[in-house]
mmCIF file with all atom_site columns, all heavy atoms in Angstrom:
data_model
loop_
_atom_site.group_PDB
_atom_site.id
_atom_site.type_symbol
_atom_site.label_atom_id
_atom_site.label_alt_id
_atom_site.label_comp_id
_atom_site.label_asym_id
_atom_site.label_entity_id
_atom_site.label_seq_id
_atom_site.pdbx_PDB_ins_code
_atom_site.Cartn_x
_atom_site.Cartn_y
_atom_site.Cartn_z
_atom_site.occupancy
_atom_site.B_iso_or_equiv
_atom_site.pdbx_formal_charge
_atom_site.auth_seq_id
_atom_site.auth_comp_id
_atom_site.auth_asym_id
_atom_site.auth_atom_id
_atom_site.pdbx_PDB_model_num
ATOM 1   N N   . LEU A 1 8   ? 81.904 149.299 -64.722 1.00 84.00 ? 8   LEU A N   1
ATOM 2   C CA  . LEU A 1 8   ? 81.554 149.478 -66.106 1.00 84.00 ? 8   LEU A CA  1
ATOM 3   C C   . LEU A 1 8   ? 80.784 150.775 -66.307 1.00 84.00 ? 8   LEU A C   1
ATOM 4   O O   . LEU A 1 8   ? 80.021 151.197 -65.454 1.00 84.00 ? 8   LEU A O   1
ATOM 5   C CB  . LEU A 1 8   ? 80.666 148.312 -66.581 1.00 84.00 ? 8   LEU A CB  1
ATOM 6   C CG  . LEU A 1 8   ? 81.282 146.921 -66.459 1.00 84.00 ? 8   LEU A CG  1
ATOM 7   C CD1 . LEU A 1 8   ? 80.242 145.867 -66.792 1.00 84.00 ? 8   LEU A CD1 1
ATOM 8   C CD2 . LEU A 1 8   ? 82.481 146.787 -67.355 1.00 84.00 ? 8   LEU A CD2 1
ATOM 9   N N   . VAL A 1 9   ? 80.994 151.371 -67.469 1.00 89.00 ? 9   VAL A N   1
ATOM 10  C CA  . VAL A 1 9   ? 80.225 152.563 -67.860 1.00 89.00 ? 9   VAL A CA  1
ATOM 11  C C   . VAL A 1 9   ? 79.353 152.131 -69.007 1.00 89.00 ? 9   VAL A C   1
ATOM 12  O O   . VAL A 1 9   ? 79.832 151.764 -70.074 1.00 89.00 ? 9   VAL A O   1
ATOM 13  C CB  . VAL A 1 9   ? 81.152 153.720 -68.265 1.00 89.00 ? 9   VAL A CB  1
ATOM 14  C CG1 . VAL A 1 9   ? 80.349 154.925 -68.698 1.00 89.00 ? 9   VAL A CG1 1
ATOM 15  C CG2 . VAL A 1 9   ? 82.123 154.081 -67.129 1.00 89.00 ? 9   VAL A CG2 1
ATOM 16  N N   . THR A 1 80  ? 84.274 139.752 -82.109 1.00 94.00 ? 80  THR A N   1
ATOM 17  C CA  . THR A 1 80  ? 85.044 140.879 -81.571 1.00 94.00 ? 80  THR A CA  1
ATOM 18  C C   . THR A 1 80  ? 84.318 141.619 -80.445 1.00 94.00 ? 80  THR A C   1
ATOM 19  O O   . THR A 1 80  ? 84.925 142.448 -79.786 1.00 94.00 ? 80  THR A O   1
ATOM 20  C CB  . THR A 1 80  ? 85.375 141.893 -82.681 1.00 94.00 ? 80  THR A CB  1
ATOM 21  O OG1 . THR A 1 80  ? 84.157 142.484 -83.149 1.00 94.00 ? 80  THR A OG1 1
ATOM 22  C CG2 . THR A 1 80  ? 86.124 141.253 -83.819 1.00 94.00 ? 80  THR A CG2 1
ATOM 23  N N   . GLY A 1 81  ? 83.054 141.357 -80.254 1.00 93.00 ? 81  GLY A N   1
ATOM 24  C CA  . GLY A 1 81  ? 82.294 142.061 -79.222 1.00 93.00 ? 81  GLY A CA  1
ATOM 25  C C   . GLY A 1 81  ? 81.723 143.385 -79.697 1.00 93.00 ? 81  GLY A C   1
ATOM 26  O O   . GLY A 1 81  ? 80.967 144.009 -78.980 1.00 93.00 ? 81  GLY A O   1
ATOM 27  N N   . SER A 1 82  ? 82.106 143.809 -80.883 1.00 94.00 ? 82  SER A N   1
ATOM 28  C CA  . SER A 1 82  ? 81.583 145.081 -81.395 1.00 94.00 ? 82  SER A CA  1
ATOM 29  C C   . SER A 1 82  ? 81.673 145.105 -82.918 1.00 94.00 ? 82  SER A C   1
ATOM 30  O O   . SER A 1 82  ? 82.482 144.412 -83.521 1.00 94.00 ? 82  SER A O   1
ATOM 31  C CB  . SER A 1 82  ? 82.356 146.253 -80.814 1.00 94.00 ? 82  SER A CB  1
ATOM 32  O OG  . SER A 1 82  ? 83.715 146.172 -81.142 1.00 94.00 ? 82  SER A OG  1
ATOM 33  N N   . LYS A 1 86  ? 80.467 150.413 -83.549 1.00 95.00 ? 86  LYS A N   1
ATOM 34  C CA  . LYS A 1 86  ? 80.712 150.380 -82.104 1.00 95.00 ? 86  LYS A CA  1
ATOM 35  C C   . LYS A 1 86  ? 82.187 150.632 -81.801 1.00 95.00 ? 86  LYS A C   1
ATOM 36  O O   . LYS A 1 86  ? 82.516 151.299 -80.819 1.00 95.00 ? 86  LYS A O   1
ATOM 37  C CB  . LYS A 1 86  ? 80.261 149.040 -81.508 1.00 95.00 ? 86  LYS A CB  1
ATOM 38  C CG  . LYS A 1 86  ? 78.769 148.920 -81.377 1.00 95.00 ? 86  LYS A CG  1
ATOM 39  C CD  . LYS A 1 86  ? 78.416 147.583 -80.733 1.00 95.00 ? 86  LYS A CD  1
ATOM 40  C CE  . LYS A 1 86  ? 76.932 147.411 -80.538 1.00 95.00 ? 86  LYS A CE  1
ATOM 41  N NZ  . LYS A 1 86  ? 76.207 147.158 -81.788 1.00 95.00 ? 86  LYS A NZ  1
ATOM 42  N N   . LYS A 1 87  ? 83.074 150.106 -82.622 1.00 95.00 ? 87  LYS A N   1
ATOM 43  C CA  . LYS A 1 87  ? 84.508 150.360 -82.393 1.00 95.00 ? 87  LYS A CA  1
ATOM 44  C C   . LYS A 1 87  ? 84.840 151.837 -82.531 1.00 95.00 ? 87  LYS A C   1
ATOM 45  O O   . LYS A 1 87  ? 85.653 152.378 -81.792 1.00 95.00 ? 87  LYS A O   1
ATOM 46  C CB  . LYS A 1 87  ? 85.332 149.537 -83.370 1.00 95.00 ? 87  LYS A CB  1
ATOM 47  C CG  . LYS A 1 87  ? 85.411 148.070 -83.047 1.00 95.00 ? 87  LYS A CG  1
ATOM 48  C CD  . LYS A 1 87  ? 86.274 147.359 -84.057 1.00 95.00 ? 87  LYS A CD  1
ATOM 49  C CE  . LYS A 1 87  ? 86.173 145.883 -83.957 1.00 95.00 ? 87  LYS A CE  1
ATOM 50  N NZ  . LYS A 1 87  ? 86.714 145.286 -82.777 1.00 95.00 ? 87  LYS A NZ  1
ATOM 51  N N   . PHE A 1 89  ? 82.972 154.294 -81.790 1.00 95.00 ? 89  PHE A N   1
ATOM 52  C CA  . PHE A 1 89  ? 82.474 154.996 -80.620 1.00 95.00 ? 89  PHE A CA  1
ATOM 53  C C   . PHE A 1 89  ? 82.955 154.370 -79.303 1.00 95.00 ? 89  PHE A C   1
ATOM 54  O O   . PHE A 1 89  ? 82.510 154.740 -78.235 1.00 95.00 ? 89  PHE A O   1
ATOM 55  C CB  . PHE A 1 89  ? 80.945 155.062 -80.637 1.00 95.00 ? 89  PHE A CB  1
ATOM 56  C CG  . PHE A 1 89  ? 80.426 155.999 -81.670 1.00 95.00 ? 89  PHE A CG  1
ATOM 57  C CD1 . PHE A 1 89  ? 80.087 155.537 -82.941 1.00 95.00 ? 89  PHE A CD1 1
ATOM 58  C CD2 . PHE A 1 89  ? 80.316 157.342 -81.407 1.00 95.00 ? 89  PHE A CD2 1
ATOM 59  C CE1 . PHE A 1 89  ? 79.630 156.404 -83.907 1.00 95.00 ? 89  PHE A CE1 1
ATOM 60  C CE2 . PHE A 1 89  ? 79.872 158.219 -82.377 1.00 95.00 ? 89  PHE A CE2 1
ATOM 61  C CZ  . PHE A 1 89  ? 79.507 157.754 -83.633 1.00 95.00 ? 89  PHE A CZ  1
ATOM 62  N N   . ASN A 1 90  ? 83.900 153.423 -79.427 1.00 94.00 ? 90  ASN A N   1
ATOM 63  C CA  . ASN A 1 90  ? 84.571 152.812 -78.280 1.00 94.00 ? 90  ASN A CA  1
ATOM 64  C C   . ASN A 1 90  ? 83.607 152.103 -77.337 1.00 94.00 ? 90  ASN A C   1
ATOM 65  O O   . ASN A 1 90  ? 83.686 152.230 -76.129 1.00 94.00 ? 90  ASN A O   1
ATOM 66  C CB  . ASN A 1 90  ? 85.377 153.864 -77.537 1.00 94.00 ? 90  ASN A CB  1
ATOM 67  C CG  . ASN A 1 90  ? 86.528 153.265 -76.773 1.00 94.00 ? 90  ASN A CG  1
ATOM 68  O OD1 . ASN A 1 90  ? 86.965 152.173 -77.089 1.00 94.00 ? 90  ASN A OD1 1
ATOM 69  N ND2 . ASN A 1 90  ? 87.009 153.978 -75.769 1.00 94.00 ? 90  ASN A ND2 1
ATOM 70  N N   . ILE A 1 91  ? 82.619 151.390 -77.908 1.00 95.00 ? 91  ILE A N   1
ATOM 71  C CA  . ILE A 1 91  ? 81.688 150.620 -77.110 1.00 95.00 ? 91  ILE A CA  1
ATOM 72  C C   . ILE A 1 91  ? 81.689 149.180 -77.572 1.00 95.00 ? 91  ILE A C   1
ATOM 73  O O   . ILE A 1 91  ? 82.142 148.876 -78.696 1.00 95.00 ? 91  ILE A O   1
ATOM 74  C CB  . ILE A 1 91  ? 80.247 151.195 -77.154 1.00 95.00 ? 91  ILE A CB  1
ATOM 75  C CG1 . ILE A 1 91  ? 79.713 151.259 -78.582 1.00 95.00 ? 91  ILE A CG1 1
ATOM 76  C CG2 . ILE A 1 91  ? 80.198 152.542 -76.480 1.00 95.00 ? 91  ILE A CG2 1
ATOM 77  C CD1 . ILE A 1 91  ? 78.299 151.791 -78.713 1.00 95.00 ? 91  ILE A CD1 1
ATOM 78  N N   . LYS A 1 92  ? 81.220 148.274 -76.707 1.00 94.00 ? 92  LYS A N   1
ATOM 79  C CA  . LYS A 1 92  ? 81.189 146.839 -77.069 1.00 94.00 ? 92  LYS A CA  1
ATOM 80  C C   . LYS A 1 92  ? 80.037 146.174 -76.339 1.00 94.00 ? 92  LYS A C   1
ATOM 81  O O   . LYS A 1 92  ? 79.526 146.663 -75.339 1.00 94.00 ? 92  LYS A O   1
ATOM 82  C CB  . LYS A 1 92  ? 82.505 146.164 -76.738 1.00 94.00 ? 92  LYS A CB  1
ATOM 83  C CG  . LYS A 1 92  ? 82.822 146.092 -75.254 1.00 94.00 ? 92  LYS A CG  1
ATOM 84  C CD  . LYS A 1 92  ? 84.128 145.403 -75.004 1.00 94.00 ? 92  LYS A CD  1
ATOM 85  C CE  . LYS A 1 92  ? 84.449 145.412 -73.510 1.00 94.00 ? 92  LYS A CE  1
ATOM 86  N NZ  . LYS A 1 92  ? 85.678 144.740 -73.218 1.00 94.00 ? 92  LYS A NZ  1
ATOM 87  N N   . VAL A 1 93  ? 79.669 145.000 -76.853 1.00 94.00 ? 93  VAL A N   1
ATOM 88  C CA  . VAL A 1 93  ? 78.607 144.199 -76.263 1.00 94.00 ? 93  VAL A CA  1
ATOM 89  C C   . VAL A 1 93  ? 79.247 143.179 -75.337 1.00 94.00 ? 93  VAL A C   1
ATOM 90  O O   . VAL A 1 93  ? 80.226 142.510 -75.717 1.00 94.00 ? 93  VAL A O   1
ATOM 91  C CB  . VAL A 1 93  ? 77.798 143.477 -77.375 1.00 94.00 ? 93  VAL A CB  1
ATOM 92  C CG1 . VAL A 1 93  ? 76.716 142.590 -76.748 1.00 94.00 ? 93  VAL A CG1 1
ATOM 93  C CG2 . VAL A 1 93  ? 77.191 144.464 -78.314 1.00 94.00 ? 93  VAL A CG2 1
ATOM 94  N N   . VAL A 1 147 ? 78.664 148.441 -73.220 1.00 92.00 ? 147 VAL A N   1
ATOM 95  C CA  . VAL A 1 147 ? 79.473 149.256 -72.321 1.00 92.00 ? 147 VAL A CA  1
ATOM 96  C C   . VAL A 1 147 ? 80.591 149.939 -73.086 1.00 92.00 ? 147 VAL A C   1
ATOM 97  O O   . VAL A 1 147 ? 80.913 149.550 -74.201 1.00 92.00 ? 147 VAL A O   1
ATOM 98  C CB  . VAL A 1 147 ? 80.087 148.404 -71.182 1.00 92.00 ? 147 VAL A CB  1
ATOM 99  C CG1 . VAL A 1 147 ? 79.024 147.797 -70.309 1.00 92.00 ? 147 VAL A CG1 1
ATOM 100 C CG2 . VAL A 1 147 ? 81.010 147.330 -71.744 1.00 92.00 ? 147 VAL A CG2 1
ATOM 101 N N   . TYR A 1 148 ? 81.137 150.969 -72.493 1.00 92.00 ? 148 TYR A N   1
ATOM 102 C CA  . TYR A 1 148 ? 82.320 151.581 -73.070 1.00 92.00 ? 148 TYR A CA  1
ATOM 103 C C   . TYR A 1 148 ? 83.518 150.652 -72.856 1.00 92.00 ? 148 TYR A C   1
ATOM 104 O O   . TYR A 1 148 ? 83.576 149.926 -71.851 1.00 92.00 ? 148 TYR A O   1
ATOM 105 C CB  . TYR A 1 148 ? 82.610 152.948 -72.425 1.00 92.00 ? 148 TYR A CB  1
ATOM 106 C CG  . TYR A 1 148 ? 81.678 154.025 -72.934 1.00 92.00 ? 148 TYR A CG  1
ATOM 107 C CD1 . TYR A 1 148 ? 80.524 154.341 -72.260 1.00 92.00 ? 148 TYR A CD1 1
ATOM 108 C CD2 . TYR A 1 148 ? 81.960 154.684 -74.114 1.00 92.00 ? 148 TYR A CD2 1
ATOM 109 C CE1 . TYR A 1 148 ? 79.650 155.316 -72.738 1.00 92.00 ? 148 TYR A CE1 1
ATOM 110 C CE2 . TYR A 1 148 ? 81.108 155.663 -74.615 1.00 92.00 ? 148 TYR A CE2 1
ATOM 111 C CZ  . TYR A 1 148 ? 79.964 155.975 -73.905 1.00 92.00 ? 148 TYR A CZ  1
ATOM 112 O OH  . TYR A 1 148 ? 79.107 156.908 -74.395 1.00 92.00 ? 148 TYR A OH  1
ATOM 113 N N   . CYS A 1 149 ? 84.460 150.674 -73.769 1.00 87.00 ? 149 CYS A N   1
ATOM 114 C CA  . CYS A 1 149 ? 85.598 149.747 -73.724 1.00 87.00 ? 149 CYS A CA  1
ATOM 115 C C   . CYS A 1 149 ? 86.572 150.051 -72.601 1.00 87.00 ? 149 CYS A C   1
ATOM 116 O O   . CYS A 1 149 ? 87.292 149.177 -72.161 1.00 87.00 ? 149 CYS A O   1
ATOM 117 C CB  . CYS A 1 149 ? 86.341 149.746 -75.060 1.00 87.00 ? 149 CYS A CB  1
ATOM 118 S SG  . CYS A 1 149 ? 85.390 148.997 -76.384 1.00 87.00 ? 149 CYS A SG  1
ATOM 119 N N   . TYR A 1 150 ? 86.598 151.276 -72.154 1.00 75.00 ? 150 TYR A N   1
ATOM 120 C CA  . TYR A 1 150 ? 87.485 151.584 -71.039 1.00 75.00 ? 150 TYR A CA  1
ATOM 121 C C   . TYR A 1 150 ? 86.700 151.419 -69.754 1.00 75.00 ? 150 TYR A C   1
ATOM 122 O O   . TYR A 1 150 ? 85.486 151.501 -69.716 1.00 75.00 ? 150 TYR A O   1
ATOM 123 C CB  . TYR A 1 150 ? 88.022 153.011 -71.140 1.00 75.00 ? 150 TYR A CB  1
ATOM 124 C CG  . TYR A 1 150 ? 86.958 154.069 -71.201 1.00 75.00 ? 150 TYR A CG  1
ATOM 125 C CD1 . TYR A 1 150 ? 86.401 154.617 -70.066 1.00 75.00 ? 150 TYR A CD1 1
ATOM 126 C CD2 . TYR A 1 150 ? 86.492 154.532 -72.438 1.00 75.00 ? 150 TYR A CD2 1
ATOM 127 C CE1 . TYR A 1 150 ? 85.423 155.585 -70.116 1.00 75.00 ? 150 TYR A CE1 1
ATOM 128 C CE2 . TYR A 1 150 ? 85.514 155.491 -72.500 1.00 75.00 ? 150 TYR A CE2 1
ATOM 129 C CZ  . TYR A 1 150 ? 84.982 156.027 -71.352 1.00 75.00 ? 150 TYR A CZ  1
ATOM 130 O OH  . TYR A 1 150 ? 83.998 156.973 -71.419 1.00 75.00 ? 150 TYR A OH  1
ATOM 131 N N   . GLU A 1 151 ? 87.430 151.183 -68.684 1.00 53.00 ? 151 GLU A N   1
ATOM 132 C CA  . GLU A 1 151 ? 86.785 151.035 -67.398 1.00 53.00 ? 151 GLU A CA  1
ATOM 133 C C   . GLU A 1 151 ? 86.992 152.306 -66.596 1.00 53.00 ? 151 GLU A C   1
ATOM 134 O O   . GLU A 1 151 ? 87.974 153.010 -66.739 1.00 53.00 ? 151 GLU A O   1
ATOM 135 C CB  . GLU A 1 151 ? 87.363 149.844 -66.642 1.00 53.00 ? 151 GLU A CB  1
ATOM 136 C CG  . GLU A 1 151 ? 86.975 148.520 -67.254 1.00 53.00 ? 151 GLU A CG  1
ATOM 137 C CD  . GLU A 1 151 ? 87.412 147.344 -66.417 1.00 53.00 ? 151 GLU A CD  1
ATOM 138 O OE1 . GLU A 1 151 ? 88.049 147.547 -65.362 1.00 53.00 ? 151 GLU A OE1 1
ATOM 139 O OE2 . GLU A 1 151 ? 87.127 146.213 -66.819 1.00 53.00 ? 151 GLU A OE2 1
ATOM 140 N N   . ARG A 1 152 ? 86.033 152.542 -65.723 1.00 56.00 ? 152 ARG A N   1
ATOM 141 C CA  . ARG A 1 152 ? 86.112 153.714 -64.858 1.00 56.00 ? 152 ARG A CA  1
ATOM 142 C C   . ARG A 1 152 ? 87.194 153.477 -63.808 1.00 56.00 ? 152 ARG A C   1
ATOM 143 O O   . ARG A 1 152 ? 87.253 152.432 -63.187 1.00 56.00 ? 152 ARG A O   1
ATOM 144 C CB  . ARG A 1 152 ? 84.756 153.913 -64.202 1.00 56.00 ? 152 ARG A CB  1
ATOM 145 C CG  . ARG A 1 152 ? 84.668 155.071 -63.314 1.00 56.00 ? 152 ARG A CG  1
ATOM 146 C CD  . ARG A 1 152 ? 83.274 155.267 -62.784 1.00 56.00 ? 152 ARG A CD  1
ATOM 147 N NE  . ARG A 1 152 ? 82.591 154.010 -62.537 1.00 56.00 ? 152 ARG A NE  1
ATOM 148 C CZ  . ARG A 1 152 ? 81.296 153.879 -62.534 1.00 56.00 ? 152 ARG A CZ  1
ATOM 149 N NH1 . ARG A 1 152 ? 80.534 154.890 -62.755 1.00 56.00 ? 152 ARG A NH1 1
ATOM 150 N NH2 . ARG A 1 152 ? 80.743 152.695 -62.297 1.00 56.00 ? 152 ARG A NH2 1
#
Side-chain angles (χ1 to χ4, degrees):
L8 301 173
V9 179
T80 66
S82 60
K86 284 183 178 73
K87 286 181 191 292
F89 289 94
N90 205 22
I91 58 178
K92 66 180 177 179
V93 178
V147 296
Y148 284 95
C149 291
Y150 58 86
E151 290 186 359
R152 181 176 35 205

